[in-house]
Amino acid sequence: MNIFRGIADFSHLAAIIILLHKIWKSRSCAGISGKSQILFAIVFTTRYLDLLTSFISLYNTSMKVIYISCSYATVYLIYMKFRATYDGNHDSFRVEFLVVPVGGLAVLINHDFALLEILWTFSIYLESVAILPQLFMISKTGEAETITTHYLFCLGLYRALYLFNWIWRFYFEGFFDMIAIVAGLVQTVLYCDFFYLYVTKVLKGKKLSLPA
Amino acid sequence: REFTYRHDEL
């Protein structure tokens, strides 16, 4: 594993833990899109079905299990335990507009027309756009808690670092996967606007708020 | 076809 991959995985883990911790500590999921979290739970579930078919390493298995469990725990906290604090009115992104086209694309453009392969492709495509309900919610309310922005930054950083990981793997291992690369690029681009706000506002100690 | 790298990356 190269350095980019390593930092990326821990950045991803940090994002997941930051979010869980924030909800647990504040006993509230205000400002968090439950829809994005459901999409991430679907992403992990459909991608890590390989837990049942192939063993890579203890690290690999543990991370996959942690990602899946944390994402389900987050969904549970939002929709069950702290449901009263869930801001459903502002979480109004129509997820069917993401899931249906992404599902169609996964069936049409994949490496192999097999169930597990299509589900893997679906999870890659879905992950690239799964954050949209959350970004939509922030644009709707015009602001985000600072801790939420740290979560988003770690999540965006993770995908940006995977791009470097793929460049590395292409040069040193001759490996590349066009589906993952294109989806990863799309995903990273979606965070660019947010990265800009994070650097110019949050890192200077200001709250992230958008002009009305 | 076998896609080992796929199971490796998270």
Side-chain angles (χ1 to χ4, degrees):
Chain A
M1 180 179 344
N2 59 66
I3 184 84
F4 302 113
R5 222 335 267 292
I7 300 176
D9 286 354
F10 279 94
S11 177
H12 196 183
L13 185 64
I16 293 170
I17 303 280
I18 287 172
L19 185 64
L20 256 182
H21 183 258
K22 169 209 145 51
I23 297 176
W24 186 257
K25 265 299 211 223
S26 63
R27 322 293 289 171
S28 160
C29 55
I32 302 300
S33 165
K35 290 182 177 175
S36 275
Q37 295 309 314
I38 289 181
L39 294 181
F40 282 124
I42 297 173
V43 164
F44 290 137
T45 310
T46 49
R47 187 173 314 165
Y48 298 156
L49 286 171
D50 60 5
L51 276 171
L52 307 169
T53 60
S54 45
F55 177 81
I56 305 293
S57 66
L58 191 59
Y59 169 80
N60 186 274
T61 302
S62 334
M63 290 296 258
K64 285 175 177 173
V65 170
I66 293 172
Y67 286 0
I68 294 182
S69 345
C70 287
S71 75
Y72 277 95
T74 307
V75 168
Y76 165 77
L77 291 184
I78 295 174
Y79 285 98
M80 312 279 278
K81 195 161 173 63
F82 301 127
R83 194 193 178 88
T85 63
Y86 170 56
D87 199 3
N89 286 336
H90 285 128
D91 194 10
S92 49
F93 194 94
R94 300 280 297 271
V95 281
E96 59 272 34
F97 292 155
L98 294 180
V99 176
V100 174
V102 157
L105 197 62
V107 171
L108 287 174
I109 305 178
N110 52 55
H111 290 307
D112 191 16
F113 201 79
L115 182 64
L116 281 182
E117 190 56 30
I118 290 172
L119 287 174
W120 177 86
T121 313
F122 172 75
S123 88
I124 292 289
Y125 292 155
L126 186 61
E127 185 188 354
S128 69
V129 292
I131 200 61
L132 285 177
Q134 179 65 62
L135 295 176
F136 178 73
M137 194 172 179
I138 291 175
S139 72
K140 220 175 162 197
T141 60
E143 57 176 20
E145 281 180 60
T146 301
I147 189 77
T148 308
T149 65
H150 295 329
Y151 161 73
L152 282 168
F153 178 75
C154 287
L155 209 56
L157 180 66
Y158 137 71
R159 220 37 178 178
L161 285 172
Y162 254 78
L163 295 178
F164 291 101
N165 160 53
W166 290 324
I167 293 170
W168 179 287
R169 294 192 78 166
F170 178 70
Y171 277 108
F172 294 102
E173 298 166 35
F175 146 85
F176 76 101
D177 185 318
M178 205 38 98
I179 287 179
I181 291 171
V182 172
L185 271 171
V186 169
Q187 189 171 349
T188 308
V189 166
L190 292 182
Y191 284 90
C192 284
D193 188 34
F194 166 78
F195 280 148
Y196 173 76
L197 290 172
Y198 187 80
V199 171
T200 55
K201 289 200 167 180
V202 182
L203 290 185
K204 291 185 178 149
K206 284 181 256 176
K207 194 175 156 69
L208 190 138
S209 55
L210 305 170
Chain B
R1 281 195 286 167
E2 192 57 46
F3 301 101
T4 325
Y5 57 84
R6 205 153 290 172
H7 308 302
D8 167 41
E9 290 195 341
L10 300 168

